[in-house]
Amino acid sequence: MDRLSLDLARCMAGGTIARGLTPEMMEALRPRLDEALAAVHAAAGTGWLEWTELPAKDPGALVSYAAANHGRYDALMVIGIGGSALGPIALATALLPFYWNELSPTRRRHMPRLYVLDNVDPDETVALLDRLDLERTLVNVISKSGTTGESMAGYLIIKQRLEAVVGPRAVKEHLVFTTDPAGGTLRQIGNETGVPMFDLGPGIGGRFSVLSPVGLLPAALTGMDVSGLLAGAADMASWIEESAGWDNPACAFAGVQYLNDVEFRRRISVMMPYSAHLRDIADWYRQLWAESLGKSVDRKGRPIDCGPTPVKSLGVTDQHSQLQLYAEGPDDKIITFLGVGEFAQTLQIPAPGPEAEALSYLGGHTLGGLLWAEQRATAWALAQKGRPSLTITVPKVEARSVGALMYMLEMATAVAGELYDIDAFDQPGVELSKKATYALMGRAGYEDLAGRIR
Ligand code: PA5
């Protein structure tokens, strides 16, 4: 398999890029990259780094479950939020054919349509419930903690609807849970009702869970190549294991982001795929980077103003929306172009007739060629303005390369956490808002807080 590649040339100082990385800067960081990687490797498989074991896990149980249920459901509804939704969404956008839900059952090979409910908007929820034939719907409730209010509200609503449509005794035929193996309300409900359950290991946080049943169960149920995803991640894990310093893809990605932050105060990390299939990987990365690195204290509890802001952008669409800002606005961004070597489809742009002579430069090219030219042109044009970028290229969008890319970005996040010396695996900043919501919803024990919320 061809591996993905990282091109750092346009991050480097020289030519039009005055504020770029120098060999000295990179050399100075190199021992710290190696130390950071060694720390990640030393902790791999323990504590909150249990996700590093996922590429080697046997997906047999979930693949068998999917095979046993093949053809039984017309729709799969995923209820989850944050890390319990963004991974499944990213995989579906990357690996299912476009407009999957509109394809006929035959074209879907009798796999279900896929709907992910990751919000509590009543209008959206009612609209979705009205669309689904619940007698032919499977609902995968995903919650690591098994207590998240938004997802549990979704569960309560769907359970009531299912009871009304299929009858209380058949509800469990339409549910499958993905949750912590021991704790949480969802686990308890599953134990009491006999709903099938898949374990999300105790040391796998939501944003690092895409290669666990969180991502893989919806993937298997909709016919994605689960083994390919894991094989690609395993190949990336070997590459990361075997290489060091700037030759290591995870270290190189983390190192570029880190140096642009600390040396040049470029505190915005833009991920810009030039592939519609990879669009939601940028969304998934946004959560991974933001929740992991946005921290107010370092590991010793000292105040630290940490957190490059991840931004999602899409080539070429956002060239007509964001590029002006990237080129001439504040020089506070490092752009990652995410390109593909080869598209699945070749679509020729027809030569224009005499009435459209001005468009003759387009005729005879492919649409993929145009997309690729726009990516190169944008990277070059940004460099002319002194704006740095790096480019990740995946050979083509398929399960192996997607698994490799996502695992690389997870490892890069862990390495960046080491460089900043912060805990990349907690999210204390979201707790207060959760508690305030409990208070406003009248949960027992939060009465004092409710009185303080204006
Ligand atoms: O990455 C994380 O840990 C969070 O975004 C969680 O995934 C999110 O809060 C949902 O949590 P849970 O899976 O416990 O319902």
Side-chain angles (χ1 to χ4, degrees), residues 4 51 54 81-94 118 204-212 214-216 229 233 236 240 250 253 269-273 276-293 309-313 336 338 392 394 401-414 425:
L4 61 76
W51 56 270
L54 292 172
I81 197 163
S84 292
L86 291 162
I89 293 170
L91 292 182
T93 307
D118 67 345
I204 304 172
R207 55 192 180 272
F208 292 88
S209 68
V210 64
L211 297 171
S212 77
V214 168
L216 298 189
L229 274 163
M236 177 55 69
I240 290 171
F253 183 84
S269 167
V270 178
M271 177 70 77
M272 195 164 184
H277 271 307
L278 299 181
R279 184 186 61 209
D280 290 327
I281 288 192
D283 219 12
W284 168 85
Y285 163 77
R286 200 165 62 110
Q287 187 218 8
L288 179 68
W289 204 246
E291 273 195 346
S292 302
L293 303 181
T309 301
V311 168
K312 169 193 183 182
S313 209
T336 301
L338 187 50
I392 301 175
V394 299
S401 60
V402 167
L405 174 65
M406 294 177 100
Y407 191 77
M408 188 279 277
L409 290 169
E410 289 178 337
M411 281 300 272
T413 306
F425 303 104

Coordinates of all heavy atoms in Angstrom, one line a residue, residues 4 51 54 81-94 118 204-212 214-216 229 233 236 240 250 253 269-273 276-293 309-313 336 338 392 394 401-414 425:
L4 N 0.5 7.6 3.1 CA 0.3 9.0 3.0 C 1.6 9.7 3.1 O 2.6 9.2 3.6 CB -0.7 9.5 4.0 CG -0.4 9.4 5.5 CD1 0.6 10.4 6.0 CD2 -1.7 9.6 6.3
W51 N -6.5 3.6 23.6 CA -6.8 3.7 22.2 C -5.7 3.3 21.2 O -5.9 2.9 20.1 CB -7.3 5.1 21.8 CG -6.4 6.2 22.1 CD1 -6.3 6.9 23.3 CD2 -5.3 6.7 21.3 NE1 -5.3 7.8 23.2 CE2 -4.7 7.7 22.0 CE3 -4.9 6.4 20.0 CZ2 -3.6 8.4 21.5 CZ3 -3.8 7.1 19.5 CH2 -3.1 8.1 20.2
L54 N -6.1 -0.1 19.7 CA -7.3 -0.4 18.8 C -6.9 -1.0 17.5 O -7.5 -1.9 17.0 CB -8.1 0.8 18.7 CG -8.9 1.2 19.9 CD1 -9.6 2.6 19.7 CD2 -9.9 0.2 20.3
I81 N -23.0 12.1 20.7 CA -22.5 13.5 20.6 C -21.0 13.6 20.8 O -20.4 12.7 21.5 CB -23.3 14.4 21.6 CG1 -23.3 15.8 21.2 CG2 -22.9 14.2 23.0 CD1 -24.3 16.7 21.9
G82 N -20.4 14.6 20.2 CA -19.0 14.8 20.4 C -18.2 13.6 19.8 O -18.5 13.2 18.7
G83 N -17.3 13.1 20.6 CA -16.5 11.9 20.1 C -17.4 10.7 19.8 O -16.9 9.8 19.1
S84 N -18.6 10.7 20.3 CA -19.5 9.5 20.1 C -20.3 9.7 18.8 O -21.2 9.0 18.5 CB -20.4 9.3 21.3 OG -19.6 8.8 22.3
A85 N -20.0 10.8 18.0 CA -20.7 11.0 16.8 C -19.8 11.4 15.6 O -20.0 11.0 14.5 CB -21.8 12.1 16.9
L86 N -18.8 12.2 16.0 CA -17.9 12.8 14.9 C -17.1 11.7 14.2 O -16.9 11.9 12.9 CB -17.0 13.9 15.5 CG -17.8 15.1 15.9 CD1 -16.9 16.0 16.9 CD2 -18.2 15.9 14.7
G87 N -16.7 10.7 14.9 CA -16.0 9.6 14.2 C -16.9 8.9 13.2 O -16.5 8.7 12.0
P88 N -18.0 8.4 13.7 CA -18.9 7.7 12.7 C -19.3 8.6 11.5 O -19.4 8.1 10.4 CB -20.2 7.4 13.6 CG -19.7 7.3 15.0 CD -18.5 8.2 15.1
I89 N -19.5 9.9 11.8 CA -19.9 10.8 10.6 C -18.7 10.9 9.7 O -18.8 10.8 8.5 CB -20.2 12.2 11.2 CG1 -21.5 12.2 12.0 CG2 -20.4 13.2 10.0 CD1 -21.9 13.4 12.7
A90 N -17.5 11.1 10.2 CA -16.3 11.2 9.3 C -16.1 10.0 8.5 O -15.8 10.1 7.3 CB -15.1 11.5 10.2
L91 N -16.3 8.8 9.1 CA -16.1 7.6 8.4 C -17.2 7.4 7.3 O -16.8 7.0 6.1 CB -16.2 6.3 9.3 CG -15.0 6.2 10.3 CD1 -15.3 4.9 11.1 CD2 -13.7 6.1 9.6
A92 N -18.4 7.8 7.6 CA -19.5 7.6 6.6 C -19.2 8.6 5.4 O -19.3 8.2 4.3 CB -20.8 8.0 7.2
T93 N -18.8 9.8 5.7 CA -18.6 10.7 4.6 C -17.4 10.3 3.7 O -17.4 10.4 2.5 CB -18.3 12.2 5.1 OG1 -19.4 12.5 6.0 CG2 -18.2 13.2 4.0
A94 N -16.4 9.7 4.4 CA -15.2 9.3 3.7 C -15.4 8.0 2.9 O -15.0 7.9 1.7 CB -14.0 9.1 4.6
D118 N -26.9 14.1 16.5 CA -25.9 14.5 17.5 C -26.3 15.9 18.1 O -25.4 16.8 18.3 CB -24.5 14.5 16.9 CG -24.3 15.5 15.8 OD1 -25.3 16.1 15.3 OD2 -23.1 15.8 15.5
I204 N -10.5 4.7 26.7 CA -10.7 5.3 25.4 C -11.7 6.4 25.4 O -12.9 6.2 25.6 CB -11.2 4.2 24.4 CG1 -10.2 3.0 24.4 CG2 -11.3 4.8 23.0 CD1 -10.7 1.8 23.6
G205 N -11.1 7.6 25.4 CA -12.0 8.8 25.4 C -12.7 9.0 24.0 O -12.2 8.5 23.0
G206 N -13.8 9.7 24.1 CA -14.6 9.8 22.9 C -13.9 10.3 21.6 O -14.0 9.7 20.6
R207 N -13.0 11.3 21.8 CA -12.4 11.8 20.6 C -11.2 10.9 20.1 O -10.7 11.1 19.0 CB -11.8 13.2 20.8 CG -10.9 13.4 22.0 CD -10.7 14.8 22.4 NE -9.9 15.1 23.5 CZ -10.3 15.1 24.8 NH1 -11.6 14.9 25.1 NH2 -9.4 15.3 25.8
F208 N -10.9 9.9 20.8 CA -9.9 8.9 20.4 C -10.6 7.5 20.1 O -9.9 6.5 20.1 CB -8.8 8.7 21.4 CG -7.9 9.9 21.6 CD1 -8.3 10.9 22.5 CD2 -6.8 10.1 20.8 CE1 -7.5 12.1 22.6 CE2 -6.0 11.2 21.0 CZ -6.3 12.2 21.8
S209 N -11.9 7.5 19.8 CA -12.6 6.3 19.8 C -13.0 5.8 18.4 O -13.7 4.8 18.3 CB -13.9 6.4 20.7 OG -14.8 7.3 20.1
V210 N -12.6 6.5 17.4 CA -13.1 6.2 16.1 C -12.8 4.8 15.6 O -13.6 4.2 14.9 CB -12.7 7.2 15.0 CG1 -11.1 7.2 14.8 CG2 -13.4 7.0 13.7
L211 N -11.7 4.2 16.1 CA -11.4 2.8 15.7 C -11.9 1.8 16.6 O -11.5 0.6 16.5 CB -9.8 2.7 15.5 CG -9.3 3.6 14.4 CD1 -7.7 3.6 14.4 CD2 -9.8 3.2 13.0
S212 N -12.7 2.2 17.6 CA -13.4 1.3 18.5 C -14.8 1.0 18.0 O -15.1 1.5 16.9 CB -13.5 2.0 19.9 OG -14.5 2.9 19.9
V214 N -17.3 2.4 18.6 CA -18.0 3.7 18.3 C -18.0 4.0 16.8 O -19.0 4.3 16.2 CB -17.2 4.9 19.0 CG1 -17.7 6.2 18.6 CG2 -17.4 4.7 20.6
G215 N -16.8 3.9 16.2 CA -16.8 4.1 14.7 C -17.0 2.9 13.9 O -17.7 2.9 12.9
L216 N -16.5 1.7 14.4 CA -16.5 0.5 13.6 C -17.9 -0.2 13.6 O -18.2 -0.9 12.6 CB -15.5 -0.5 14.1 CG -14.0 0.0 14.1 CD1 -13.0 -1.1 14.4 CD2 -13.7 0.6 12.7
L229 N -9.7 -0.4 7.6 CA -9.5 0.7 8.5 C -8.4 0.4 9.5 O -7.5 1.1 9.8 CB -10.8 1.1 9.2 CG -11.8 2.0 8.5 CD1 -13.1 1.9 9.1 CD2 -11.2 3.4 8.5
A233 N -4.6 1.7 10.0 CA -4.1 2.3 11.3 C -2.9 1.5 11.8 O -1.9 2.1 12.4 CB -5.3 2.3 12.3
M236 N 0.1 2.6 10.0 CA 0.6 3.9 10.5 C 1.3 3.7 11.9 O 2.3 4.3 12.1 CB -0.6 4.8 10.6 CG -0.3 6.2 11.2 SD 1.1 7.1 10.3 CE 0.3 7.5 8.7
I240 N 5.0 4.9 12.8 CA 5.3 5.8 13.9 C 6.3 5.2 14.9 O 7.1 5.8 15.4 CB 4.0 6.2 14.6 CG1 3.2 7.2 13.7 CG2 4.2 6.9 15.9 CD1 1.8 7.5 14.1
A250 N 3.6 11.6 12.8 CA 2.9 12.2 13.9 C 3.7 13.4 14.5 O 3.2 14.4 14.8 CB 2.5 11.2 14.9
F253 N 3.8 16.4 12.1 CA 2.6 17.2 12.1 C 2.5 18.0 13.4 O 2.3 19.3 13.4 CB 1.4 16.3 11.9 CG 0.1 17.1 11.9 CD1 -0.4 17.6 10.7 CD2 -0.7 17.3 13.0 CE1 -1.5 18.4 10.6 CE2 -1.8 18.1 13.0 CZ -2.3 18.6 11.8
S269 N -5.1 26.6 13.6 CA -4.7 25.5 12.8 C -5.8 25.1 11.8 O -6.8 24.6 12.3 CB -4.4 24.3 13.7 OG -4.3 23.1 13.0
V270 N -5.6 25.5 10.6 CA -6.7 25.3 9.6 C -6.5 23.9 8.9 O -5.4 23.6 8.4 CB -6.7 26.4 8.5 CG1 -7.8 26.1 7.4 CG2 -6.9 27.7 9.1
M271 N -7.5 23.1 8.9 CA -7.4 21.8 8.1 C -8.3 22.0 6.9 O -9.5 22.2 7.0 CB -8.0 20.7 9.0 CG -8.0 19.3 8.4 SD -6.4 18.6 8.1 CE -5.9 18.0 9.7
M272 N -7.7 21.9 5.7 CA -8.4 22.2 4.5 C -8.3 21.0 3.5 O -7.4 21.0 2.7 CB -7.8 23.5 3.9 CG -8.7 24.1 2.8 SD -8.1 25.8 2.6 CE -9.3 26.3 1.4
P273 N -9.3 20.1 3.6 CA -9.3 19.0 2.6 C -9.7 19.5 1.2 O -10.5 20.3 1.1 CB -10.4 18.0 3.2 CG -10.8 18.5 4.5 CD -10.4 20.0 4.6
A276 N -14.1 16.0 -1.1 CA -15.4 16.1 -0.4 C -15.5 14.9 0.5 O -16.1 15.0 1.6 CB -16.5 16.2 -1.4
H277 N -14.9 13.8 0.2 CA -14.9 12.6 1.0 C -14.2 12.8 2.4 O -14.6 12.3 3.4 CB -14.3 11.4 0.3 CG -15.2 10.6 -0.5 ND1 -16.4 10.0 0.0 CD2 -15.1 10.1 -1.8 CE1 -17.0 9.3 -0.9 NE2 -16.2 9.4 -2.0
L278 N -13.2 13.7 2.3 CA -12.4 13.9 3.6 C -13.0 15.1 4.4 O -12.4 15.5 5.4 CB -11.0 14.1 3.2 CG -10.3 13.0 2.5 CD1 -8.8 13.3 2.3 CD2 -10.4 11.7 3.4
R279 N -14.0 15.7 3.9 CA -14.6 16.9 4.5 C -14.8 16.8 6.1 O -14.4 17.6 6.9 CB -15.9 17.3 3.9 CG -16.6 18.5 4.3 CD -17.9 18.6 3.6 NE -18.8 17.5 4.1 CZ -19.8 16.9 3.3 NH1 -20.0 17.4 2.1 NH2 -20.5 15.9 3.8
D280 N -15.4 15.7 6.5 CA -15.8 15.6 7.9 C -14.6 15.0 8.7 O -14.7 15.0 10.0 CB -17.0 14.7 8.0 CG -18.3 15.5 7.5 OD1 -18.3 16.7 7.6 OD2 -19.2 14.9 7.0
I281 N -13.5 14.6 8.1 CA -12.4 14.3 8.9 C -11.8 15.6 9.5 O -11.3 15.7 10.6 CB -11.3 13.6 8.0 CG1 -11.8 12.2 7.8 CG2 -9.9 13.6 8.7 CD1 -10.9 11.2 7.2
A282 N -12.0 16.7 8.7 CA -11.6 18.0 9.3 C -12.4 18.4 10.5 O -12.0 19.0 11.4 CB -11.7 19.1 8.2
D283 N -13.7 18.0 10.5 CA -14.6 18.3 11.6 C -14.2 17.4 12.8 O -14.2 17.9 13.9 CB -16.0 17.9 11.2 CG -17.0 18.9 11.7 OD1 -16.6 20.0 12.2 OD2 -18.2 18.6 11.6
W284 N -13.9 16.2 12.5 CA -13.5 15.3 13.6 C -12.1 15.8 14.2 O -11.9 15.8 15.4 CB -13.3 13.9 13.0 CG -12.6 12.9 13.8 CD1 -13.1 12.1 14.8 CD2 -11.2 12.5 13.7 NE1 -12.2 11.2 15.3 CE2 -11.0 11.5 14.7 CE3 -10.2 12.9 12.9 CZ2 -9.7 10.9 14.8 CZ3 -8.9 12.4 13.1 CH2 -8.7 11.4 14.0
Y285 N -11.2 16.2 13.3 CA -9.9 16.7 13.8 C -10.1 18.0 14.6 O -9.4 18.2 15.6 CB -9.1 17.1 12.5 CG -7.9 18.0 12.8 CD1 -6.7 17.5 13.4 CD2 -7.9 19.3 12.5 CE1 -5.7 18.3 13.7 CE2 -6.9 20.2 12.8 CZ -5.8 19.7 13.4 OH -4.7 20.5 13.7
R286 N -11.1 18.8 14.3 CA -11.4 20.0 15.0 C -11.7 19.7 16.5 O -11.2 20.3 17.4 CB -12.6 20.7 14.4 CG -12.8 22.1 14.7 CD -13.8 22.7 13.7 NE -15.1 22.0 13.8 CZ -16.2 22.6 14.3 NH1 -16.2 23.8 14.7 NH2 -17.4 22.0 14.4
Q287 N -12.5 18.6 16.7 CA -12.8 18.2 18.1 C -11.5 17.6 18.8 O -11.2 17.9 19.9 CB -13.9 17.2 18.2 CG -14.3 16.9 19.6 CD -14.7 15.5 19.9 OE1 -14.5 14.6 19.1 NE2 -15.2 15.2 21.1
L288 N -10.8 16.8 18.0 CA -9.7 16.1 18.6 C -8.7 17.1 19.1 O -8.2 17.0 20.2 CB -9.1 15.2 17.5 CG -7.8 14.4 17.8 CD1 -8.1 13.3 18.7 CD2 -7.2 13.8 16.5
W289 N -8.3 18.1 18.2 CA -7.3 19.1 18.6 C -7.8 20.0 19.7 O -7.1 20.3 20.6 CB -7.0 19.8 17.3 CG -5.7 20.5 17.2 CD1 -5.4 21.8 17.1 CD2 -4.4 19.8 17.1 NE1 -4.1 22.0 17.0 CE2 -3.4 20.9 17.0 CE3 -3.9 18.5 17.1 CZ2 -2.0 20.6 16.9 CZ3 -2.6 18.2 17.0 CH2 -1.6 19.3 16.9
A290 N -9.1 20.5 19.5 CA -9.6 21.5 20.5 C -9.8 20.9 21.9 O -9.3 21.5 22.8 CB -10.9 22.0 20.0
E291 N -10.4 19.8 22.0 CA -10.7 19.3 23.4 C -9.4 18.8 24.0 O -9.3 18.8 25.2 CB -11.7 18.2 23.4 CG -13.1 18.7 23.5 CD -14.2 17.7 23.8 OE1 -13.9 16.4 23.7 OE2 -15.3 18.1 24.1
S292 N -8.5 18.3 23.2 CA -7.3 17.7 23.7 C -6.3 18.8 24.2 O -5.6 18.7 25.2 CB -6.6 16.8 22.7 OG -7.5 15.8 22.3
L293 N -6.2 19.9 23.4 CA -5.1 20.8 23.6 C -5.5 22.2 24.3 O -4.7 22.9 24.7 CB -4.3 21.1 22.3 CG -3.8 19.9 21.6 CD1 -3.0 20.2 20.3 CD2 -2.8 19.1 22.5
T309 N -6.3 27.0 18.0 CA -7.7 26.9 17.6 C -7.8 26.2 16.2 O -7.3 26.7 15.2 CB -8.3 28.2 17.5 OG1 -8.2 28.9 18.7 CG2 -9.8 28.1 17.1
P310 N -8.4 25.0 16.2 CA -8.6 24.3 14.9 C -9.7 24.9 14.1 O -10.8 25.1 14.7 CB -8.9 22.9 15.3 CG -9.5 23.0 16.7 CD -9.0 24.2 17.3
V311 N -9.5 25.0 12.9 CA -10.6 25.5 12.0 C -10.7 24.6 10.8 O -9.8 24.1 10.3 CB -10.2 26.9 11.4 CG1 -11.1 27.4 10.3 CG2 -10.2 28.0 12.6
K312 N -12.0 24.3 10.5 CA -12.3 23.5 9.4 C -12.6 24.3 8.1 O -13.3 25.3 8.2 CB -13.6 22.7 9.7 CG -14.2 21.9 8.6 CD -15.6 21.4 9.0 CE -16.2 20.6 7.9 NZ -17.5 20.2 8.3
S313 N -12.0 23.9 7.0 CA -12.2 24.7 5.8 C -12.3 23.6 4.7 O -11.9 22.5 4.9 CB -10.9 25.5 5.6 OG -11.2 26.7 4.8
T336 N -3.2 23.4 6.9 CA -2.9 22.0 6.4 C -3.8 21.7 5.3 O -5.0 21.6 5.4 CB -3.1 21.0 7.6 OG1 -2.3 21.3 8.7 CG2 -2.7 19.6 7.1
L338 N -5.1 19.0 2.8 CA -5.3 17.5 2.8 C -5.8 17.1 1.4 O -6.9 17.4 1.1 CB -6.4 17.2 3.9 CG -6.7 15.8 4.3 CD1 -5.4 15.1 4.6 CD2 -7.6 15.8 5.5
I392 N -0.7 17.2 3.5 CA -0.8 15.8 3.7 C -1.5 15.2 2.4 O -2.6 15.7 2.1 CB -1.6 15.4 4.9 CG1 -1.0 16.0 6.2 CG2 -1.8 13.9 5.1 CD1 -1.8 15.8 7.5
V394 N -3.1 11.8 0.8 CA -3.4 10.3 0.9 C -3.5 9.8 -0.5 O -4.0 10.5 -1.4 CB -4.7 10.0 1.7 CG1 -4.6 10.5 3.1 CG2 -5.9 10.6 1.0
S401 N -6.3 4.0 3.9 CA -5.7 5.3 4.0 C -6.4 6.2 5.1 O -5.8 7.0 5.8 CB -5.7 6.0 2.7 OG -7.0 6.2 2.2
V402 N -7.7 6.0 5.2 CA -8.5 6.8 6.2 C -8.1 6.3 7.6 O -7.9 7.1 8.5 CB -10.0 6.6 5.9 CG1 -10.8 7.1 7.1 CG2 -10.4 7.4 4.6
G403 N -8.0 5.0 7.8 CA -7.5 4.5 9.1 C -6.1 5.1 9.4 O -5.9 5.5 10.6
A404 N -5.3 5.1 8.4 CA -3.9 5.6 8.7 C -3.9 7.0 9.0 O -3.2 7.5 10.0 CB -3.0 5.3 7.4
L405 N -4.7 7.8 8.3 CA -4.7 9.3 8.5 C -5.3 9.6 9.9 O -4.7 10.4 10.6 CB -5.6 9.9 7.4 CG -5.9 11.4 7.6 CD1 -4.6 12.2 7.4 CD2 -6.9 11.9 6.5
M406 N -6.4 8.9 10.2 CA -7.0 9.3 11.5 C -6.1 8.8 12.7 O -5.9 9.6 13.7 CB -8.4 8.6 11.6 CG -9.3 9.3 10.6 SD -11.0 8.6 10.6 CE -11.9 9.8 11.5
Y407 N -5.4 7.7 12.5 CA -4.5 7.3 13.6 C -3.3 8.2 13.7 O -2.9 8.6 14.8 CB -4.1 5.8 13.4 CG -3.4 5.3 14.6 CD1 -4.1 4.8 15.7 CD2 -2.0 5.2 14.6 CE1 -3.4 4.3 16.8 CE2 -1.3 4.7 15.7 CZ -2.1 4.3 16.8 OH -1.4 3.8 17.9
M408 N -2.8 8.7 12.6 CA -1.7 9.6 12.6 C -2.1 10.9 13.3 O -1.3 11.4 14.2 CB -1.3 9.9 11.2 CG 0.0 10.7 11.0 SD -0.2 12.5 11.3 CE -0.7 12.9 9.6
L409 N -3.3 11.4 13.0 CA -3.7 12.6 13.7 C -4.0 12.4 15.2 O -3.7 13.3 16.0 CB -5.0 13.2 13.0 CG -4.7 13.7 11.6 CD1 -6.0 14.0 10.9 CD2 -3.8 15.0 11.6
E410 N -4.4 11.3 15.6 CA -4.6 11.0 17.0 C -3.2 11.0 17.7 O -3.0 11.5 18.8 CB -5.3 9.6 17.2 CG -6.7 9.6 16.9 CD -7.4 8.3 17.0 OE1 -6.7 7.2 17.0 OE2 -8.7 8.3 17.1
M411 N -2.2 10.3 17.0 CA -0.9 10.2 17.6 C -0.3 11.6 17.7 O 0.4 12.0 18.7 CB 0.0 9.3 16.9 CG -0.2 7.8 17.2 SD 0.1 7.4 18.9 CE 1.8 7.1 18.9
A412 N -0.5 12.4 16.6 CA 0.1 13.8 16.6 C -0.5 14.6 17.8 O 0.2 15.4 18.4 CB -0.3 14.4 15.3
T413 N -1.8 14.4 18.1 CA -2.4 15.1 19.2 C -1.8 14.7 20.5 O -1.5 15.6 21.4 CB -3.9 14.8 19.2 OG1 -4.5 15.1 17.9 CG2 -4.7 15.6 20.2
A414 N -1.5 13.4 20.7 CA -0.9 12.9 21.9 C 0.5 13.5 22.0 O 1.0 14.0 23.1 CB -0.8 11.4 21.9
F425 N -6.0 14.4 27.5 CA -7.1 13.4 27.5 C -8.3 13.8 28.4 O -9.2 13.0 28.5 CB -6.6 12.0 27.9 CG -5.5 11.6 26.9 CD1 -4.1 11.6 27.3 CD2 -5.8 11.2 25.6 CE1 -3.2 11.3 26.4 CE2 -4.8 10.9 24.7 CZ -3.5 10.9 25.1

